[in-house]
């Protein structure tokens, strides 16, 4: 599926167990999306489980991290529409992922540390996370890619 829409790139050395341990939301999202080959019942079940997980972690626990952003984006990109138009759940996850990108500061360039007292030789607090960033991106490219995917999804 990656060649069709390279929203999330995983390192080649990533194993199923490491993905499950380090990025549980993305792991479940990949299972849900990939289960389409097993039939619509399995995909519907896993998609509902993924959505329940997002609701619990984002809305109930107020978690914000790249794992959730990527998982929600993957669920949206490969969304399997329901039989009835009224049941479509597309725009809420798009908004949730975009808002989380903003709150994590993924759309901002990192600012260099600036000392308030340069003449005294006191260095500013470099390396401290900004108020908006709860957890840093795995790599700068992952964060930028997540920002770009959110931008694309919001324009649909």
């Amino acid at each position: 599926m990656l060649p069709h829409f390279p929203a999330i790139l995983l390192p080649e050395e990533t194993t199923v167990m490491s993905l499950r341990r380090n990025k549980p939301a993305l792991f479940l999202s990949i299972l849900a999306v990939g289960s389409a080959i097993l039939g619509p019942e399995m995909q519907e079940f896993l998609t509902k489980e993924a959505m329940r997980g997002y609701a619990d972690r984002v809305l109930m626990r107020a978690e914000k991290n790249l794992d959730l952003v990527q998982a929600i984006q993957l669920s949206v990109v490969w969304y399997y529409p329901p039989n009835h138009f009224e049941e479509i759940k597309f725009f809420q996850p798009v908004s949730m992922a975009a808002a989380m990108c903003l709150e994590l500061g993924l759309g901002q360039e990192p600012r260099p540390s600036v000392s308030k007292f340069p003449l005294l030789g006191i260095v500013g607090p470099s390396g401290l996370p900004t108020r908006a960033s709860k957890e840093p991106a795995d790599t700068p490219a992952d964060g930028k890619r997540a920002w770009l995917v959110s931008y694309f999804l919001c324009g649909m």
Side-chain angles (χ1 to χ4, degrees):
M1 298 170 124
L2 185 64
H4 300 291
F5 194 87
I8 294 137
L9 297 178
L10 297 173
E12 287 184 27
E13 64 273 2
T14 303
T15 64
V16 172
M17 290 310 293
S18 70
L19 185 64
R20 184 176 182 204
R21 186 179 332 102
N22 300 326
K23 293 184 170 246
L26 183 58
F27 174 74
L28 183 55
S29 182
I30 290 170
L31 286 180
V33 169
S35 68
I37 196 167
L38 302 174
E41 297 84 18
M42 181 61 78
Q43 185 178 24
E44 182 179 358
F45 172 77
L46 289 172
T47 300
K48 283 183 180 180
E49 285 300 311
M51 291 294 177
R52 280 188 193 100
Y54 305 152
D56 179 53
R57 290 179 66 186
V58 175
L59 300 175
M60 302 304 290
R61 296 189 223 167
E63 288 184 36
K64 297 174 183 118
N65 55 50
L66 187 60
D67 174 36
L68 285 167
V69 171
Q70 290 175 323
I72 293 167
Q73 289 175 340
L74 192 67
S75 294
V76 169
V77 168
W78 298 106
Y79 183 70
Y80 186 80
N83 292 333
H84 304 287
F85 181 76
E86 301 82 32
E87 298 173 3
I88 286 181
K89 296 174 193 82
F90 181 80
F91 296 106
Q92 295 91 344
V94 168
S95 298
M96 195 164 41
M100 200 177 307
C101 280
L102 289 171
E103 291 172 0
L104 291 170
L106 297 180
Q108 300 173 353
E109 288 294 323
R111 290 187 235 157
S113 174
V114 178
S115 173
K116 292 184 179 184
F117 307 102
L119 298 176
L120 299 175
I122 300 172
V123 181
S126 64
L128 291 178
T130 62
R131 181 175 252 209
S133 67
K134 302 293 184 214
E135 188 173 301
D138 294 347
T139 66
D142 290 335
K144 289 178 181 179
R145 186 175 291 108
W147 175 255
L148 184 62
V149 171
S150 280
Y151 182 81
F152 173 79
L153 292 175
C154 287
M156 290 180 71

